[in-house]
PDB file of all heavy atoms in Angstrom:
ATOM      1  N   ASP K  23     -47.129  51.016 -53.022  1.00 95.00           N
ATOM      2  CA  ASP K  23     -47.799  49.602 -53.255  1.00 95.00           C
ATOM      3  C   ASP K  23     -48.904  49.502 -52.306  1.00 95.00           C
ATOM      4  O   ASP K  23     -48.720  49.565 -50.899  1.00 95.00           O
ATOM      5  CB  ASP K  23     -46.686  48.576 -52.898  1.00 95.00           C
ATOM      6  CG  ASP K  23     -47.155  47.169 -52.975  1.00 95.00           C
ATOM      7  OD1 ASP K  23     -48.389  46.885 -53.374  1.00 95.00           O
ATOM      8  OD2 ASP K  23     -46.365  46.268 -52.968  1.00 95.00           O
ATOM      9  N   PRO K  24     -50.190  49.295 -52.818  1.00 93.00           N
ATOM     10  CA  PRO K  24     -51.305  49.354 -51.917  1.00 93.00           C
ATOM     11  C   PRO K  24     -51.346  48.107 -51.007  1.00 93.00           C
ATOM     12  O   PRO K  24     -51.736  48.195 -49.785  1.00 93.00           O
ATOM     13  CB  PRO K  24     -52.472  49.148 -52.877  1.00 93.00           C
ATOM     14  CG  PRO K  24     -51.942  48.666 -54.197  1.00 93.00           C
ATOM     15  CD  PRO K  24     -50.520  49.228 -54.169  1.00 93.00           C
ATOM     16  N   ASP K  25     -50.677  46.910 -51.381  1.00 93.00           N
ATOM     17  CA  ASP K  25     -50.477  45.798 -50.520  1.00 93.00           C
ATOM     18  C   ASP K  25     -49.588  46.123 -49.322  1.00 93.00           C
ATOM     19  O   ASP K  25     -49.867  45.732 -48.251  1.00 93.00           O
ATOM     20  CB  ASP K  25     -50.010  44.681 -51.246  1.00 93.00           C
ATOM     21  CG  ASP K  25     -51.029  44.002 -52.262  1.00 93.00           C
ATOM     22  OD1 ASP K  25     -52.241  44.285 -52.138  1.00 93.00           O
ATOM     23  OD2 ASP K  25     -50.541  43.569 -53.203  1.00 93.00           O
ATOM     24  N   ARG K  26     -48.552  46.798 -49.578  1.00 92.00           N
ATOM     25  CA  ARG K  26     -47.612  47.267 -48.468  1.00 92.00           C
ATOM     26  C   ARG K  26     -48.344  48.192 -47.552  1.00 92.00           C
ATOM     27  O   ARG K  26     -48.143  48.038 -46.300  1.00 92.00           O
ATOM     28  CB  ARG K  26     -46.368  47.921 -49.113  1.00 92.00           C
ATOM     29  CG  ARG K  26     -45.432  48.353 -48.026  1.00 92.00           C
ATOM     30  CD  ARG K  26     -44.245  49.226 -48.776  1.00 92.00           C
ATOM     31  NE  ARG K  26     -43.348  49.688 -47.581  1.00 92.00           N
ATOM     32  CZ  ARG K  26     -42.600  50.750 -47.661  1.00 92.00           C
ATOM     33  NH1 ARG K  26     -42.785  51.588 -48.612  1.00 92.00           N
ATOM     34  NH2 ARG K  26     -41.766  51.038 -46.707  1.00 92.00           N
ATOM     35  N   LEU K  27     -49.136  49.119 -48.137  1.00 93.00           N
ATOM     36  CA  LEU K  27     -49.883  50.037 -47.187  1.00 93.00           C
ATOM     37  C   LEU K  27     -50.722  49.335 -46.249  1.00 93.00           C
ATOM     38  O   LEU K  27     -50.916  49.602 -45.070  1.00 93.00           O
ATOM     39  CB  LEU K  27     -50.597  51.072 -48.101  1.00 93.00           C
ATOM     40  CG  LEU K  27     -49.763  52.142 -48.729  1.00 93.00           C
ATOM     41  CD1 LEU K  27     -50.635  52.942 -49.779  1.00 93.00           C
ATOM     42  CD2 LEU K  27     -49.023  53.108 -47.700  1.00 93.00           C
ATOM     43  N   ALA K  28     -51.518  48.283 -46.820  1.00 91.00           N
ATOM     44  CA  ALA K  28     -52.307  47.392 -46.199  1.00 91.00           C
ATOM     45  C   ALA K  28     -51.737  46.685 -45.018  1.00 91.00           C
ATOM     46  O   ALA K  28     -52.201  46.575 -43.932  1.00 91.00           O
ATOM     47  CB  ALA K  28     -53.123  46.645 -47.091  1.00 91.00           C
ATOM     48  N   ARG K  29     -50.500  46.156 -45.254  1.00 91.00           N
ATOM     49  CA  ARG K  29     -49.715  45.480 -44.387  1.00 91.00           C
ATOM     50  C   ARG K  29     -49.281  46.348 -43.118  1.00 91.00           C
ATOM     51  O   ARG K  29     -49.352  45.970 -41.955  1.00 91.00           O
ATOM     52  CB  ARG K  29     -48.650  44.627 -44.953  1.00 91.00           C
ATOM     53  CG  ARG K  29     -48.824  43.536 -45.979  1.00 91.00           C
ATOM     54  CD  ARG K  29     -47.684  42.699 -46.082  1.00 91.00           C
ATOM     55  NE  ARG K  29     -46.544  43.537 -46.891  1.00 91.00           N
ATOM     56  CZ  ARG K  29     -46.479  43.730 -48.105  1.00 91.00           C
ATOM     57  NH1 ARG K  29     -47.358  43.095 -48.967  1.00 91.00           N
ATOM     58  NH2 ARG K  29     -45.469  44.394 -48.664  1.00 91.00           N
ATOM     59  N   GLN K  30     -48.846  47.487 -43.528  1.00 89.00           N
ATOM     60  CA  GLN K  30     -48.206  48.450 -42.604  1.00 89.00           C
ATOM     61  C   GLN K  30     -49.256  49.133 -41.693  1.00 89.00           C
ATOM     62  O   GLN K  30     -49.232  49.363 -40.549  1.00 89.00           O
ATOM     63  CB  GLN K  30     -47.299  49.501 -43.229  1.00 89.00           C
ATOM     64  CG  GLN K  30     -46.161  48.840 -44.000  1.00 89.00           C
ATOM     65  CD  GLN K  30     -45.043  48.389 -42.952  1.00 89.00           C
ATOM     66  OE1 GLN K  30     -44.978  48.854 -41.862  1.00 89.00           O
ATOM     67  NE2 GLN K  30     -44.340  47.420 -43.435  1.00 89.00           N
ATOM     68  N   LEU K  31     -50.488  49.529 -42.455  1.00 88.00           N
ATOM     69  CA  LEU K  31     -51.488  50.448 -41.816  1.00 88.00           C
ATOM     70  C   LEU K  31     -52.902  49.797 -41.668  1.00 88.00           C
ATOM     71  O   LEU K  31     -53.673  50.475 -41.214  1.00 88.00           O
ATOM     72  CB  LEU K  31     -51.587  51.723 -42.579  1.00 88.00           C
ATOM     73  CG  LEU K  31     -50.204  52.481 -42.733  1.00 88.00           C
ATOM     74  CD1 LEU K  31     -50.456  53.673 -43.612  1.00 88.00           C
ATOM     75  CD2 LEU K  31     -49.558  52.967 -41.427  1.00 88.00           C
ATOM     76  N   GLY K  32     -52.909  48.572 -42.189  1.00 88.00           N
ATOM     77  CA  GLY K  32     -54.312  48.036 -41.978  1.00 88.00           C
ATOM     78  C   GLY K  32     -55.383  48.644 -42.925  1.00 88.00           C
ATOM     79  O   GLY K  32     -55.020  49.036 -44.064  1.00 88.00           O
ATOM     80  N   SER K  33     -56.582  48.655 -42.408  1.00 88.00           N
ATOM     81  CA  SER K  33     -57.628  49.220 -43.321  1.00 88.00           C
ATOM     82  C   SER K  33     -57.323  50.702 -43.618  1.00 88.00           C
ATOM     83  O   SER K  33     -57.868  51.262 -44.607  1.00 88.00           O
ATOM     84  CB  SER K  33     -58.974  48.998 -42.652  1.00 88.00           C
ATOM     85  OG  SER K  33     -58.977  49.686 -41.308  1.00 88.00           O
ATOM     86  N   LEU K  34     -56.666  51.354 -42.672  1.00 89.00           N
ATOM     87  CA  LEU K  34     -56.327  52.809 -42.894  1.00 89.00           C
ATOM     88  C   LEU K  34     -55.538  53.040 -44.189  1.00 89.00           C
ATOM     89  O   LEU K  34     -55.696  53.903 -44.959  1.00 89.00           O
ATOM     90  CB  LEU K  34     -55.590  53.466 -41.709  1.00 89.00           C
ATOM     91  CG  LEU K  34     -55.067  54.754 -41.807  1.00 89.00           C
ATOM     92  CD1 LEU K  34     -56.234  55.800 -42.156  1.00 89.00           C
ATOM     93  CD2 LEU K  34     -54.164  55.167 -40.636  1.00 89.00           C
ATOM     94  N   GLY K  35     -54.610  52.030 -44.353  1.00 92.00           N
ATOM     95  CA  GLY K  35     -53.825  52.104 -45.628  1.00 92.00           C
ATOM     96  C   GLY K  35     -54.611  52.104 -46.890  1.00 92.00           C
ATOM     97  O   GLY K  35     -54.301  52.725 -47.784  1.00 92.00           O
ATOM     98  N   LYS K  36     -55.561  51.135 -46.960  1.00 92.00           N
ATOM     99  CA  LYS K  36     -56.563  51.079 -48.133  1.00 92.00           C
ATOM    100  C   LYS K  36     -57.318  52.309 -48.413  1.00 92.00           C
ATOM    101  O   LYS K  36     -57.246  52.807 -49.415  1.00 92.00           O
ATOM    102  CB  LYS K  36     -57.375  49.908 -47.897  1.00 92.00           C
ATOM    103  CG  LYS K  36     -58.294  49.752 -49.014  1.00 92.00           C
ATOM    104  CD  LYS K  36     -59.316  48.658 -48.813  1.00 92.00           C
ATOM    105  CE  LYS K  36     -60.271  48.442 -50.031  1.00 92.00           C
ATOM    106  NZ  LYS K  36     -61.225  47.433 -49.753  1.00 92.00           N
ATOM    107  N   ARG K  37     -57.690  52.962 -47.204  1.00 93.00           N
ATOM    108  CA  ARG K  37     -58.539  54.245 -47.369  1.00 93.00           C
ATOM    109  C   ARG K  37     -57.617  55.324 -47.822  1.00 93.00           C
ATOM    110  O   ARG K  37     -57.997  56.248 -48.714  1.00 93.00           O
ATOM    111  CB  ARG K  37     -59.187  54.473 -46.067  1.00 93.00           C
ATOM    112  CG  ARG K  37     -60.351  53.716 -45.754  1.00 93.00           C
ATOM    113  CD  ARG K  37     -61.187  54.316 -44.717  1.00 93.00           C
ATOM    114  NE  ARG K  37     -60.413  54.721 -43.415  1.00 93.00           N
ATOM    115  CZ  ARG K  37     -60.145  53.889 -42.469  1.00 93.00           C
ATOM    116  NH1 ARG K  37     -60.712  52.613 -42.488  1.00 93.00           N
ATOM    117  NH2 ARG K  37     -59.504  54.283 -41.358  1.00 93.00           N
ATOM    118  N   LEU K  38     -56.302  55.477 -47.307  1.00 95.00           N
ATOM    119  CA  LEU K  38     -55.487  56.568 -47.766  1.00 95.00           C
ATOM    120  C   LEU K  38     -55.045  56.345 -49.225  1.00 95.00           C
ATOM    121  O   LEU K  38     -54.965  57.315 -49.968  1.00 95.00           O
ATOM    122  CB  LEU K  38     -54.275  56.540 -46.816  1.00 95.00           C
ATOM    123  CG  LEU K  38     -54.500  56.905 -45.358  1.00 95.00           C
ATOM    124  CD1 LEU K  38     -53.207  56.778 -44.585  1.00 95.00           C
ATOM    125  CD2 LEU K  38     -54.909  58.373 -45.345  1.00 95.00           C
ATOM    126  N   TYR K  39     -54.862  55.184 -49.544  1.00 96.00           N
ATOM    127  CA  TYR K  39     -54.476  54.857 -51.022  1.00 96.00           C
ATOM    128  C   TYR K  39     -55.621  55.268 -51.936  1.00 96.00           C
ATOM    129  O   TYR K  39     -55.378  56.057 -53.006  1.00 96.00           O
ATOM    130  CB  TYR K  39     -54.260  53.406 -51.133  1.00 96.00           C
ATOM    131  CG  TYR K  39     -53.740  53.053 -52.697  1.00 96.00           C
ATOM    132  CD1 TYR K  39     -52.475  53.337 -53.061  1.00 96.00           C
ATOM    133  CD2 TYR K  39     -54.748  52.408 -53.582  1.00 96.00           C
ATOM    134  CE1 TYR K  39     -52.074  53.039 -54.394  1.00 96.00           C
ATOM    135  CE2 TYR K  39     -54.384  52.163 -54.788  1.00 96.00           C
ATOM    136  CZ  TYR K  39     -52.999  52.424 -55.233  1.00 96.00           C
ATOM    137  OH  TYR K  39     -52.562  52.153 -56.561  1.00 96.00           O
ATOM    138  N   GLU K  40     -56.814  55.157 -51.590  1.00 95.00           N
ATOM    139  CA  GLU K  40     -57.993  55.526 -52.510  1.00 95.00           C
ATOM    140  C   GLU K  40     -58.018  57.054 -52.449  1.00 95.00           C
ATOM    141  O   GLU K  40     -58.304  57.576 -53.420  1.00 95.00           O
ATOM    142  CB  GLU K  40     -59.280  54.931 -51.821  1.00 95.00           C
ATOM    143  CG  GLU K  40     -59.387  53.411 -52.074  1.00 95.00           C
ATOM    144  CD  GLU K  40     -60.696  52.839 -51.467  1.00 95.00           C
ATOM    145  OE1 GLU K  40     -61.388  53.579 -50.596  1.00 95.00           O
ATOM    146  OE2 GLU K  40     -61.121  51.633 -51.794  1.00 95.00           O
ATOM    147  N   ARG K  41     -57.915  57.666 -51.242  1.00 95.00           N
ATOM    148  CA  ARG K  41     -57.979  59.106 -51.347  1.00 95.00           C
ATOM    149  C   ARG K  41     -56.882  59.686 -52.117  1.00 95.00           C
ATOM    150  O   ARG K  41     -57.124  60.707 -52.832  1.00 95.00           O
ATOM    151  CB  ARG K  41     -57.714  59.627 -49.754  1.00 95.00           C
ATOM    152  CG  ARG K  41     -58.893  59.105 -48.935  1.00 95.00           C
ATOM    153  CD  ARG K  41     -60.248  59.608 -49.191  1.00 95.00           C
ATOM    154  NE  ARG K  41     -61.254  59.228 -48.329  1.00 95.00           N
ATOM    155  CZ  ARG K  41     -61.986  58.164 -48.299  1.00 95.00           C
ATOM    156  NH1 ARG K  41     -61.890  57.349 -49.382  1.00 95.00           N
ATOM    157  NH2 ARG K  41     -62.978  57.969 -47.386  1.00 95.00           N
ATOM    158  N   ALA K  42     -55.727  59.120 -52.075  1.00 97.00           N
ATOM    159  CA  ALA K  42     -54.633  59.689 -52.942  1.00 97.00           C
ATOM    160  C   ALA K  42     -54.870  59.521 -54.357  1.00 97.00           C
ATOM    161  O   ALA K  42     -54.324  60.282 -55.237  1.00 97.00           O
ATOM    162  CB  ALA K  42     -53.303  58.825 -52.714  1.00 97.00           C
ATOM    163  N   GLN K  43     -55.764  58.617 -54.823  1.00 96.00           N
ATOM    164  CA  GLN K  43     -56.168  58.475 -56.222  1.00 96.00           C
ATOM    165  C   GLN K  43     -57.252  59.519 -56.567  1.00 96.00           C
ATOM    166  O   GLN K  43     -57.791  59.656 -57.575  1.00 96.00           O
ATOM    167  CB  GLN K  43     -56.645  57.062 -56.479  1.00 96.00           C
ATOM    168  CG  GLN K  43     -55.885  55.962 -56.066  1.00 96.00           C
ATOM    169  CD  GLN K  43     -54.448  55.984 -56.528  1.00 96.00           C
ATOM    170  OE1 GLN K  43     -54.198  56.278 -57.884  1.00 96.00           O
ATOM    171  NE2 GLN K  43     -53.406  55.662 -55.764  1.00 96.00           N
ATOM    172  N   GLY K  44     -57.834  60.289 -55.590  1.00 96.00           N
ATOM    173  CA  GLY K  44     -58.750  61.159 -55.668  1.00 96.00           C
ATOM    174  C   GLY K  44     -60.133  60.450 -55.441  1.00 96.00           C
ATOM    175  O   GLY K  44     -61.255  61.159 -55.927  1.00 96.00           O
ATOM    176  N   ILE K  45     -60.319  59.392 -54.958  1.00 95.00           N
ATOM    177  CA  ILE K  45     -61.484  58.689 -54.809  1.00 95.00           C
ATOM    178  C   ILE K  45     -62.111  58.948 -53.366  1.00 95.00           C
ATOM    179  O   ILE K  45     -61.451  58.826 -52.314  1.00 95.00           O
ATOM    180  CB  ILE K  45     -61.295  57.112 -54.918  1.00 95.00           C
ATOM    181  CG1 ILE K  45     -60.707  56.876 -56.356  1.00 95.00           C
ATOM    182  CG2 ILE K  45     -62.497  56.407 -54.599  1.00 95.00           C
ATOM    183  CD1 ILE K  45     -60.146  55.492 -56.479  1.00 95.00           C
ATOM    184  N   ASP K  46     -63.435  59.300 -53.320  1.00 94.00           N
ATOM    185  CA  ASP K  46     -64.135  59.415 -52.082  1.00 94.00           C
ATOM    186  C   ASP K  46     -65.563  59.219 -52.373  1.00 94.00           C
ATOM    187  O   ASP K  46     -66.230  60.079 -53.025  1.00 94.00           O
ATOM    188  CB  ASP K  46     -64.040  60.816 -51.503  1.00 94.00           C
ATOM    189  CG  ASP K  46     -64.845  61.096 -50.289  1.00 94.00           C
ATOM    190  OD1 ASP K  46     -65.259  60.131 -49.670  1.00 94.00           O
ATOM    191  OD2 ASP K  46     -65.039  62.312 -49.912  1.00 94.00           O
ATOM    192  N   PRO K  47     -66.058  58.036 -52.066  1.00 92.00           N
ATOM    193  CA  PRO K  47     -67.545  57.742 -52.380  1.00 92.00           C
ATOM    194  C   PRO K  47     -68.633  58.238 -51.395  1.00 92.00           C
ATOM    195  O   PRO K  47     -69.808  58.162 -51.646  1.00 92.00           O
ATOM    196  CB  PRO K  47     -67.524  56.170 -52.267  1.00 92.00           C
ATOM    197  CG  PRO K  47     -66.465  55.895 -51.232  1.00 92.00           C
ATOM    198  CD  PRO K  47     -65.440  56.975 -51.359  1.00 92.00           C
ATOM    199  N   SER K  48     -68.191  58.955 -50.321  1.00 92.00           N
ATOM    200  CA  SER K  48     -69.110  59.550 -49.381  1.00 92.00           C
ATOM    201  C   SER K  48     -70.205  60.473 -50.080  1.00 92.00           C
ATOM    202  O   SER K  48     -69.807  61.303 -50.828  1.00 92.00           O
ATOM    203  CB  SER K  48     -68.452  60.042 -48.223  1.00 92.00           C
ATOM    204  OG  SER K  48     -67.667  61.197 -48.621  1.00 92.00           O
ATOM    205  N   GLU K  49     -71.291  60.459 -49.405  1.00 93.00           N
ATOM    206  CA  GLU K  49     -72.371  61.277 -49.923  1.00 93.00           C
ATOM    207  C   GLU K  49     -72.558  62.528 -49.161  1.00 93.00           C
ATOM    208  O   GLU K  49     -72.234  62.544 -47.912  1.00 93.00           O
ATOM    209  CB  GLU K  49     -73.606  60.450 -49.945  1.00 93.00           C
ATOM    210  CG  GLU K  49     -73.644  59.262 -51.040  1.00 93.00           C
ATOM    211  CD  GLU K  49     -73.735  59.669 -52.476  1.00 93.00           C
ATOM    212  OE1 GLU K  49     -74.135  60.726 -52.718  1.00 93.00           O
ATOM    213  OE2 GLU K  49     -73.107  58.815 -53.280  1.00 93.00           O
TER     214      GLU K  49
END
């Protein structure tokens, strides 16, 4: 649950959730 990750880990939780989806916008 991305909301749970955000509550537990803050902004790190959101970034980790995106990485687990295979998402990385960095150039």
Side-chain angles (χ1 to χ4, degrees):
D23 180 353
D25 292 333
R26 182 191 178 206
L27 290 173
R29 287 194 303 270
Q30 297 286 337
L31 305 175
S33 59
L34 174 62
K36 180 182 178 181
R37 288 197 302 274
L38 290 175
Y39 181 77
E40 289 178 348
R41 299 298 184 267
Q43 313 301 320
I45 298 170
D46 176 19
S48 59
E49 298 288 337

